[in-house]
Amino acid sequence: MPHPAGRAGGVRSEGGPASECLLETLFDNSPFPTQVFDRHGFSWRMNEAQRRYLGLRDRSSGIGTFNILTDPRVTDTARDRVRRAYAGEVVEVEEATHDFGPWRADDADTDATIYALTVFPLRDDAGGVIGIVSSMRDVTGRRRTERALRDSEELYRSVVGALSEGVVEQLADGTIRAVNPSAERILGLSAGTLNAHTWTDARWGKVLEDGTPMPFDEQPTVRALRSGKPVSGVTMGIRTPDGEARWLSVCSTPLFDQGATEAHAVVSSFSDITERKLADDALRESEARYRETFDSLQDLYFEVDANGRFTRVSPSCERHTGYTQEELIGFQSQLLYVDPADFLELTRLAMKHTSVNDFEALMRRRDGAHVWFSITTRVRRGSGGAIVGAEGTLRDINARKQAEDERDRLFLLSVDMLAVLDSQARFVRANPAWARTTGHRPLDLLGQRPFDFFHPDDAETARKTRLRLRSGEITNDTRLRMLCRDGKYRWLSWNISPPSDDGLTFCVVRDVHDQVQREEEQQQMVVALESTAAVLSEQAMELDRLRMEAEWLANCDVLTGVMNRRAWFAAASEGVHSAVAVFDIDFFKRVNDTWGHPAGDLVLTEVARRMCAVGDGGHLGRLGGEEFGVLFEAPFHEARATCEALLAAVAANPIELPDGTPLSVTVSGGLAPWRTAAGTAGLERVYEEADRALYQAKMGGRARLALAPVSRAA
């Protein structure tokens, strides 16, 4: 339809009718709703898309009748946009509302559609405004996508902000672009401070799980950026700005731009595993200590299953039994017992009491040798209460049993009467000498009290003796008359030790009846010479003292109190020995030359005291000058350990000389095993070998122990 302003700029076609037809076609078929208004505000033309938007079916509807400037149905907002366009302004509206009110048809279905509106002036050749054009673009999809993206970003930010894990986004150059609150908490820095750092900054002090510095190429962010693949489960340590060490478990994921092959950024998430790491380290350290303790056990630790087969043993098993750990696993434990009855009795006690302590049994080593062990064991039960096995320890008590056997032999063969009393002063053990002297068999004495056998006239003496014992005093030669089996009393001399920690009292009793009778007879014969008798009694006592002193001097070194050379060699010629050690004080001549013989005597005395203080140190004797000798009955390896302990005891602390000077003293030693030759010839040979070993120790630098060749031992 022609318009009076049809020739105005923007609507006129310079190309003639064909061009005008093309423009008409493009206008009508444009997908954007478009409407043209003349200079007076009347609707002049609209395309099909605009008619659909307005819900108009007739092509002529609304043309020339609707005035956008004056129609009251037009909103103030729409009219303002129109006026601005008539004033020459191009008006852009991102989201247009339906400003035409009731003019839109009731059946228009475009309420859910979102449009972007552009209103621009239509000018003539002179630039004057002759109308306006309103054009809308459907932006519904884009707006919905943008809103969904905003909602997604809000949700993402909420989730990331609520995560207990730290999240850091950094660019490829290492710059930190974003962090969540957990990252600030874990790393000890605020977001603003973190943005001034780079995640690969050396100031973080990153270390590997073993505590060594983490190489740059092994950092998870670097690996993810370079490989283009996620890196997860990396344990690393860092140091926060306040110096606190923390352990993190890190996962890094690379980020790519659309169509890019190289990552432009990386997102790292990490959790603080410091407590777990420290707990794991403590657990590993505890397990290592347990393993070290287990491997260094002196006793043999064992575990057996319900059938008595070993399932676990400590490495000390080879030293005690001769079997390796591999040989004992699966081995039937009862086969080690020399007497099967011991195994059955131990099993019975364990089943009855759950645990058994210090059960003694003779067991067979791999080489066939018999060894005494003290067994402590405990039954193990499963969750249902059924017995699944047992665990315990074996302790080698062979040396103790040998010592007990030696003690028992002395106990049985002693001429003196020996007895052990319990805390109630009742016999718990007595040797056969009691039967020979009093007629009371040892078995008859068990459970009896010695005080019940004493003469009534000796009751006061017995009472005082008990008081002295209770005060911790040793009683020597307390003479009391004891009722014998034949109904007669005999005088006995009692030497009694105070009760030990376990309440036992040890007694050495000698028959002095004849001696007492003789003394009484002598007193009766010389009643008139009481003073002389007293002198004679004192002389007799002095003779006893001198005799005891002579015996002591004959066997002991006057200076040190240990065995002298004669007594030591006499002891070496008797009994069964396993080894001989000879010790010599290093640089002893220098002590005498520098501080004099009193100082040398003090050193000798102190060295002997320290050597005597070492546990079961064998039989110690001074062989002459600064030389000492030790006889051993214990196995050679125990003798060697004792010798090492003797050296350590002497060198442990300086000896203070009379003038207050502290003097460090050491000894050198030579140890030789006992040889097959018997008697004096064998002793001399062993002594010579120990002496040569001592010489080797001296030549080797002193303060050490040298061993004679063991291969030549019996």
Side-chain angles (χ1 to χ4, degrees):
M1 180 175 89
H3 191 278
R7 297 188 302 275
V11 284
R12 184 182 57 186
S13 173
E14 298 290 343
S19 296
E20 290 181 357
C21 182
L22 176 60
L23 289 175
E24 291 284 344
T25 302
L26 291 174
F27 178 81
D28 288 339
N29 294 314
S30 172
F32 305 121
T34 305
Q35 189 169 357
V36 182
F37 298 88
D38 64 15
R39 69 179 65 199
H40 302 294
F42 287 100
S43 175
W44 171 52
R45 191 166 185 174
M46 66 180 73
N47 66 358
E48 186 63 29
Q50 177 70 353
R51 277 191 289 275
R52 286 198 303 273
Y53 169 71
L54 296 176
L56 302 176
R57 295 181 177 84
D58 186 355
R59 291 179 62 88
S60 62
S61 297
I63 300 301
T65 61
F66 172 72
N67 191 304
I68 197 170
L69 292 175
T70 61
D71 195 299
R73 293 172 297 181
V74 178
T75 66
D76 292 340
T77 302
R79 187 173 287 109
D80 179 67
R81 294 172 187 156
V82 169
R83 288 172 178 169
R84 288 163 56 194
Y86 275 113
E89 182 182 349
V90 177
V91 181
E92 298 278 356
V93 181
E94 288 294 324
E95 290 189 16
T97 57
H98 304 303
D99 297 328
F100 299 106
W103 187 41
R104 294 187 65 221
D106 294 337
D107 58 352
D109 57 357
T110 56
D111 288 341
T113 306
I114 301 173
Y115 290 93
L117 173 66
T118 301
V119 182
F120 57 88
L122 190 65
R123 299 178 184 274
D124 58 15
D125 292 339
V129 177
I130 60 174
I132 62 172
V133 179
S134 171
S135 178
M136 294 188 294
R137 300 185 306 281
D138 187 349
V139 294
T140 304
R142 190 180 76 184
R143 290 292 185 268
R144 288 175 179 172
T145 300
E146 289 174 350
R147 288 173 181 171
L149 180 59
R150 284 196 300 272
D151 293 343
S152 176
E153 288 179 348
E154 286 297 323
L155 178 61
Y156 167 77
R157 293 181 185 278
S158 299
V159 171
V160 171
L163 286 176
S164 61
E165 294 183 342
V167 178
V168 173
E169 180 186 2
Q170 69 177 86
L171 301 178
D173 62 1
T175 302
I176 295 177
R177 187 164 64 180
V179 298
N180 71 339
S182 292
E184 298 180 49
R185 173 180 53 80
I186 294 172
L187 300 179
L189 289 173
S190 65
T193 307
L194 279 170
N195 290 337
H197 289 66
T198 62
W199 188 232
T200 55
D201 197 326
R203 287 178 293 179
W204 292 111
K206 298 179 182 178
V207 294
L208 296 171
E209 194 167 4
D210 61 3
T212 59
M214 174 176 280
F216 180 81
D217 292 343
E218 293 189 26
Q219 296 188 23
T221 53
V222 176
R223 290 167 54 191
L225 284 169
R226 292 184 176 179
S227 67
K229 298 179 180 179
V231 177
S232 61
V234 177
T235 298
M236 57 181 279
I238 65 166
R239 191 164 295 279
T240 61
D242 60 2
E244 181 183 357
R246 290 187 179 174
W247 288 97
L248 310 177
S249 178
V250 184
C251 298
S252 296
T253 303
L255 301 178
F256 297 89
D257 288 328
Q258 186 70 28
T261 58
E262 293 186 1
H264 73 279
V266 62
V267 173
S268 296
S269 62
F270 47 88
S271 55
D272 187 345
I273 60 169
T274 304
E275 292 185 3
R276 188 186 75 191
K277 180 70 165 57
L278 294 178
D280 291 344
D281 291 345
L283 178 60
R284 282 193 295 271
E285 183 179 352
S286 175
E287 290 175 346
R289 286 199 302 268
Y290 166 76
R291 172 54 58 186
E292 181 179 351
T293 301
F294 181 76
D295 291 342
S296 61
L297 284 176
Q298 295 298 314
D299 293 343
L300 191 163
Y301 174 82
F302 68 88
E303 294 178 7
V304 296
D305 60 18
N307 296 319
R309 297 184 181 276
F310 288 110
T311 58
R312 189 182 188 193
V313 291
S314 61
S316 57
C317 65
E318 189 167 2
R319 181 174 70 255
H320 288 296
T321 68
Y323 291 96
T324 64
Q325 287 179 286
E326 293 75 15
E327 290 174 328
L328 279 183
I329 299 301
F331 190 82
Q332 186 62 252
S333 59
Q334 70 183 77
L335 298 180
L336 294 178
Y337 290 79
V338 174
D339 186 353
D342 287 340
F343 174 78
L344 296 177
E345 177 64 10
L346 176 62
T347 302
R348 185 188 69 81
L349 292 174
M351 296 281 287
K352 180 178 180 180
H353 303 291
T354 302
S355 63
V356 180
N357 296 320
D358 199 21
F359 182 88
E360 297 181 359
L362 191 62
M363 308 188 83
R364 185 182 295 104
R365 286 175 49 89
R366 193 176 191 276
D367 57 8
H370 293 178
V371 180
W372 280 98
F373 284 98
S374 171
I375 306 170
T376 298
T377 187
R378 180 179 67 88
V379 170
R380 297 166 55 208
R381 298 182 182 275
S383 57
I387 294 177
V388 297
E391 62 181 353
T393 59
L394 297 179
R395 174 167 295 180
D396 186 342
I397 59 170
N398 213 50
R400 190 186 84 188
K401 294 295 289 185
Q402 290 177 352
E404 290 175 354
D405 291 343
E406 182 69 19
R407 180 199 64 193
D408 290 343
R409 284 196 295 271
L410 294 174
F411 189 84
L412 295 174
L413 298 176
S414 174
V415 176
D416 291 332
M417 290 167 282
L418 306 178
V420 180
L421 309 181
D422 63 14
S423 59
Q424 302 300 319
R426 294 173 299 196
F427 283 100
V428 293
R429 194 175 184 190
N431 70 338
W434 287 92
R436 294 193 297 268
T437 303
T438 67
H440 296 298
R441 297 176 302 174
L443 187 63
D444 297 333
L445 291 174
L446 299 184
Q448 302 289 335
R449 301 172 69 252
F451 298 96
D452 296 336
F453 290 86
F454 293 150
H455 194 284
D457 293 343
D458 296 336
E460 181 62 17
T461 302
R463 187 186 68 81
K464 292 181 178 179
T465 300
R466 294 188 66 176
L467 292 176
R468 291 167 59 192
L469 291 172
R470 289 175 180 174
S471 67
E473 184 180 349
I474 298 176
T475 64
N476 293 316
D477 195 23
T478 300
R479 296 185 178 185
L480 299 166
R481 286 165 288 183
M482 182 173 181
L483 182 64
C484 298
R485 188 177 180 83
D486 59 7
K488 298 179 180 180
Y489 286 94
R490 291 190 68 84
W491 282 99
L492 303 180
S493 173
W494 292 74
N495 298 275
I496 311 173
S497 68
S500 60
D501 293 339
D502 54 5
L504 297 180
T505 300
F506 298 90
C507 307
V508 179
V509 186
R510 180 169 294 177
D511 182 5
V512 294
H513 186 75
D514 293 340
Q515 179 182 346
V516 172
Q517 281 191 333
R518 286 195 300 270
E519 291 173 354
E520 290 177 350
E521 290 173 357
Q522 290 173 357
Q523 289 177 357
Q524 292 174 0
M525 292 175 60
V526 292
V527 173
L529 302 174
E530 289 182 2
S531 60
T532 304
V535 172
L536 292 175
S537 177
E538 291 178 1
Q539 291 177 347
M541 294 177 63
E542 179 64 16
L543 287 175
D544 284 343
R545 187 188 66 77
L546 292 174
R547 175 181 57 79
M548 295 173 62
E549 182 177 342
E551 290 178 355
W552 187 86
L553 292 173
N555 294 287
C556 298
D557 179 61
V558 177
L559 179 62
T560 63
V562 300
M563 283 193 294
N564 58 24
R565 183 182 182 88
R566 186 202 65 79
W568 189 84
F569 274 96
S573 301
E574 301 175 354
V576 178
H577 307 289
S578 62
V580 170
V582 180
F583 297 92
D584 189 87
I585 301 176
D586 297 327
F587 303 111
F588 181 72
K589 184 175 183 302
R590 186 183 303 169
V591 177
N592 283 332
D593 293 344
T594 305
W595 290 280
H597 289 284
D601 291 346
L602 176 63
V603 170
L604 287 169
T605 302
E606 180 61 18
V607 168
R609 186 193 68 78
R610 294 184 181 185
M611 295 177 76
C612 288
V614 175
D616 184 9
H619 302 290
L620 176 65
R622 182 184 174 196
L623 307 184
E626 67 270 25
E627 183 178 319
F628 293 87
V630 182
L631 292 171
F632 292 101
E633 283 83 25
F636 185 76
H637 69 277
E638 294 184 12
R640 177 179 179 179
T642 301
C643 288
E644 297 286 0
L646 290 174
L647 265 67
V650 172
N653 297 298
I655 297 175
E656 185 175 344
L657 298 182
D659 62 357
T661 301
L663 178 64
S664 296
V665 177
T666 61
V667 296
S668 301
L671 177 64
W674 198 263
R675 303 306 179 187
T676 56
T680 304
L683 171 61
E684 291 177 353
R685 181 180 172 190
V686 175
Y687 177 77
E688 289 176 359
E689 291 185 355
D691 193 55
R692 283 196 295 271
L694 171 62
Y695 177 77
Q696 293 175 1
K698 291 284 189 179
M699 296 303 293
R702 294 181 168 84
R704 64 192 62 207
L705 177 70
L707 306 180
V710 179
S711 59
R712 299 174 55 189

